[in-house]
Amino acid sequence: MAIIRELRGFVPKIGKNCFIAENAVVVGDVEMGDDCSIWYGAVLRGDVNSIKIGDRVNIQDGAVLHTLYQRSVCEIGNDVSVGHNAVIHGAKVGNNVLVGMGAILMDNAVIADNTIIAAGAVVLSNSVLEPGVYAGVPAKKVKDGSEKIAEMAHRNAQGYMTYKEWYK
């Protein structure tokens, strides 16, 4: 059974029809919307500030969401995929975003709707990104936003809606 733990008076709030893997960890001030999936080894640690997740979000295996004490919060929009082993540390992620495997989003970074962060990219603290595709260390825009990019991000999140049902 997943570790879902109250901490400092905060009880995680989990929406309807969510899947949380048996070894995932959800602690403290965490609020997730409906139809989310939190996969194996993922950690959502709302111990020092809040983590808010929209609807139809998938946090894939080994990903970590955390914040800075009283200086950043983690906000994830709707229809977002957070890839395997990604780290989101106190960043704001818009709707319809794909965060690639092993990517790192640092404190107070803002990721626009309809954006793809490539695998292994590092988005530095306080960065404010326009829609598009970002890659590299530090992350740089490699492609402007488009309907095709938005559709790719959305399709990934929709795939995880199917996968989570297999596990429920």
Side-chain angles (χ1 to χ4, degrees):
M1 176 179 236
I3 297 170
I4 300 172
R5 180 176 174 199
E6 175 183 353
L7 186 70
R8 297 178 49 222
F10 294 101
V11 178
K13 295 179 178 102
I14 299 167
K16 298 176 200 159
N17 201 33
C18 292
F19 164 73
I20 302 177
E22 294 84 355
N23 67 343
V25 178
V26 181
V27 175
D29 192 1
V30 176
E31 185 175 334
M32 80 179 66
D34 297 336
D35 294 306
C36 293
S37 56
I38 311 300
W39 293 89
Y40 295 91
V43 176
L44 285 65
R45 191 157 58 97
D47 55 356
V48 298
N49 220 330
S50 66
I51 297 172
K52 298 205 183 319
I53 298 169
D55 298 328
R56 299 170 306 280
V57 172
N58 61 87
I59 309 295
Q60 297 171 21
D61 312 70
V64 175
L65 278 62
H66 195 239
T67 66
L68 283 175
Y69 182 64
Q70 297 182 344
R71 293 193 330 204
S72 67
V73 297
C74 192
E75 296 178 10
I76 310 293
N78 298 320
D79 301 297
V80 172
S81 295
V82 177
H84 311 290
N85 292 316
V87 175
I88 299 180
H89 203 278
K92 181 177 181 179
V93 177
N95 299 312
N96 209 35
V97 171
L98 170 59
V99 178
M101 294 181 282
I104 300 171
L105 311 181
M106 294 304 297
D107 295 284
N108 300 306
V110 178
I111 312 304
D113 294 351
N114 304 314
T115 295
I116 294 176
I117 307 297
V122 177
V123 178
L124 300 177
S125 294
N126 302 309
S127 298
V128 178
L129 306 186
E130 302 171 351
V133 178
Y134 292 80
V137 180
K140 302 258 189 254
K141 188 186 230 184
V142 297
K143 194 175 239 184
D144 288 333
S146 68
E147 279 191 40
K148 183 177 179 183
I149 290 167
E151 176 56 30
M152 289 171 62
H154 187 74
R155 192 174 8 184
N156 190 280
Q158 289 304 299
Y160 271 84
M161 292 289 294
T162 298
Y163 308 154
K164 79 173 177 66
E165 293 302 321
W166 297 345
Y167 286 81
K168 290 182 65 194

